[in-house]
Amino acid sequence: MTTRTLPDDVLLKVLEYATVLSVHNVNNWKSMTQLTAVCARWRYLGLPLLCRTAILVYDVSSETWQTNVRFIQAFGDARWVKRVVLKSNSDLVPDGLMEHFGTDVTPWVSARALRIIFEPQPTSPTLNNPIDTAELHNEDRIAALAGTVVKCMPNVTRMHVVGANASSGSHAFVNAVSRAYANQYVLFEGSLSALAPTPTLSSTLTALSVDFNCSGTLLPHICSESLRYLHMTEVPSDDIWQKFGCADLADTDIWFNDLERLTLVYQTKGADRSPIINSEIDVQIHLPQLRQLSVENCPADSPLLRAKTSSMLKYVHITDRSGKIEPAAMVSGQSIDTLAITTYSSQTTSESFCQATNRIFGASCKAKATSLTLGLSSQLPNAEHVNWPQLRKLSIFAETPSDT
């Protein structure tokens, strides 16, 4: 059997698998161009796949760009470009970007995804012919670069940012690009600083994944009604809920009408949890479509514990170091498919912990699959104090005590 007998859709899958592995590496991508030289049929099917991702990688040691943009211009079609990867091993926005996104480049109107990666190496060499640092940080220069990128890709709806330190030119660049696309986001992944100081993320946003690598006050107001996926890590304070809603920051009822998956990882007790907005506002969170909930280190006074859910909720995973596991209270008595609790605490022998787990895994528990994982730094709960008739799986492992 030869590839000539393979249907187009099968061969297309083979070529797609081969080309997707080379997305972030220009050298790997170049090796994939040999596939188009096999025969006319392979070229016809493979060329659009090769041109689906435009790659621009800057190497600070050689001060050169590695890119496939010229190949796409010469042999492909600008309409084939669906996503763009912009990567640098420096935390400065290098020169030469204009040459690849210049006025002579046909706009990639079909591009919907933009991935920006700044990964400076610990021992990154300095530029051989460095430009004045002030020039590299020049606001007009950075704004012009960002404007050119946006002009070349006017229809981006998904943006993923890696790196971009707050004190570097890369941060200002990412910030400018982020603001330009703020009203058309469907998905954003990256650091919180990349969003600041965007005043509002639009009602088109359906997926948001952010890491609080800076002050929580920088979180822009987010229209929650369209969100389907929300993932936040290193959350500094539960007052972030007042940043969600429609338009009114004083709104006490926050509706996530379409949210299906919610993942929150709060900072541990050693971090600053000072309020970022008025903590006296009593917020009520509504999650009518929530299906999956994962929460770690949730504060005891979190409005999330009073959130209104529905029978749509099927999977809940609670992780906590305090031994209080408060978030489990919000699903007590609900008919969910999976309830998993993981706790790393020296409080597992306390009366409050035993009472809490007795309520959760007691006779009223309606979850089909239940599990409790104990990371113990001291000893097991007293068997006389626990009553877990609905617990299906218990896992225990030793944990070294930590300050967090």
Side-chain angles (χ1 to χ4, degrees):
M1 181 178 180
T2 66
T3 57
R4 293 182 179 180
T5 61
L6 290 177
D8 282 355
D9 57 340
V10 175
L11 181 57
L12 195 62
K13 287 294 183 181
V14 174
L15 294 175
E16 184 176 15
Y17 178 77
T19 56
V20 76
L21 299 177
S22 61
V23 169
H24 297 158
N25 188 298
V26 176
N27 290 329
N28 289 347
W29 182 91
K30 287 180 179 178
S31 66
M32 292 297 102
T33 60
Q34 300 176 21
L35 295 175
T36 63
V38 173
C39 63
R41 182 177 176 230
W42 280 49
R43 182 180 181 85
Y44 174 78
L45 294 175
L47 196 55
L49 293 176
L50 283 170
C51 296
R52 187 168 53 181
T53 302
I55 311 170
L56 298 98
V57 178
Y58 182 77
D59 178 43
V60 67
S61 61
S62 61
E63 298 182 31
T64 58
W65 286 89
Q66 293 182 321
T67 179
N68 62 354
V69 171
R70 299 306 178 194
F71 179 93
I72 295 174
Q73 291 174 326
F75 304 103
D77 191 317
R79 293 171 296 180
W80 292 345
V81 179
K82 305 300 181 184
R83 54 179 174 263
V84 178
V85 176
L86 176 60
K87 184 177 181 180
S88 173
N89 60 358
S90 168
D91 59 1
L92 298 174
V93 183
D95 274 353
L97 192 60
M98 284 285 200
E99 298 176 8
H100 301 290
F101 290 100
T103 55
D104 60 327
V105 177
T106 303
W108 296 326
V109 294
S110 298
R112 295 293 186 270
L114 172 61
R115 185 179 179 92
I116 302 178
I117 306 171
F118 287 98
E119 294 181 333
Q121 304 301 314
T123 57
S124 290
T126 57
L127 296 174
N128 296 325
N129 300 296
I131 305 174
D132 180 23
T133 303
E135 176 62 23
L136 286 171
H137 289 273
N138 183 276
E139 292 184 2
D140 292 337
R141 171 182 174 273
I142 291 175
L145 289 172
T148 302
V149 171
V150 173
K151 183 178 179 180
C152 187
M153 294 171 285
N155 299 318
V156 166
T157 59
R158 300 185 299 276
M159 185 171 173
H160 188 174
V161 177
V162 177
N165 296 324
S167 59
S168 67
S170 60
H171 168 262
F173 170 75
V174 169
N175 197 289
V177 174
S178 175
R179 287 199 304 271
Y181 290 128
N183 291 326
Q184 61 193 57
Y185 280 137
V186 169
L187 179 149
F188 178 89
E189 294 179 293
S191 61
L192 176 61
S193 59
L195 289 173
T198 303
T200 303
L201 288 180
S202 76
S203 57
T204 61
L205 189 71
T206 60
L208 176 64
S209 178
V210 292
D211 176 31
F212 280 77
N213 61 337
C214 56
S215 171
T217 56
L218 295 178
L219 182 66
H221 188 64
I222 300 169
C223 184
S224 63
E225 292 190 338
S226 60
L227 280 174
R228 293 187 177 182
Y229 173 81
L230 177 61
H231 181 112
M232 296 192 290
T233 58
E234 288 300 306
V235 180
S237 167
D238 208 66
D239 292 324
I240 60 166
W241 294 112
Q242 296 170 41
K243 286 282 189 151
F244 291 87
C246 295
D248 186 5
L249 283 176
D251 191 2
T252 58
D253 282 284
I254 309 299
W255 286 86
F256 293 85
N257 289 331
D258 296 325
L259 192 66
E260 297 179 1
R261 296 175 59 190
L262 174 60
T263 301
L264 295 173
V265 180
Y266 288 91
Q267 291 179 356
T268 54
K269 63 181 180 181
D272 179 18
R273 283 188 176 179
S274 57
I276 61 176
I277 318 181
N278 182 7
S279 60
E280 295 180 357
I281 298 178
D282 188 17
V283 173
Q284 177 62 64
I285 302 171
H286 300 266
L287 303 163
Q289 300 295 324
L290 191 65
R291 299 174 184 270
Q292 297 185 27
L293 172 66
S294 297
V295 184
E296 184 171 342
N297 302 322
C298 186
D301 57 351
S302 170
L304 183 64
L305 306 183
R306 306 187 305 272
K308 295 185 181 299
T309 59
S310 71
S311 58
M312 301 289 289
L313 187 60
K314 297 300 179 184
Y315 175 88
V316 178
H317 188 186
I318 308 299
T319 304
D320 200 89
R321 291 185 177 273
S322 67
K324 298 178 181 179
I325 53 178
E326 290 95 346
M330 65 182 290
V331 297
S332 179
Q334 291 194 27
S335 299
I336 61 178
D337 290 341
T338 303
L339 172 60
I341 295 178
T342 302
T343 181
Y344 307 86
S345 174
S346 60
Q347 306 298 317
T348 52
T349 58
S350 67
E351 182 179 353
S352 61
F353 176 81
C354 293
Q355 290 177 348
T357 51
N358 288 346
R359 288 194 301 270
I360 296 167
F361 300 115
S364 62
C365 179
K366 297 180 180 179
K368 297 178 182 178
T370 56
S371 66
L372 175 62
T373 301
L374 302 179
L376 301 177
S377 58
S378 57
Q379 55 186 326
L380 290 170
N382 191 321
E384 297 179 357
H385 297 161
V386 298
N387 181 25
W388 303 331
Q390 299 302 320
L391 182 62
R392 300 290 184 263
K393 180 179 179 181
L394 175 63
S395 302
I396 301 173
F397 63 94
E399 183 203 22
T400 303
S402 66
D403 295 335
T404 57

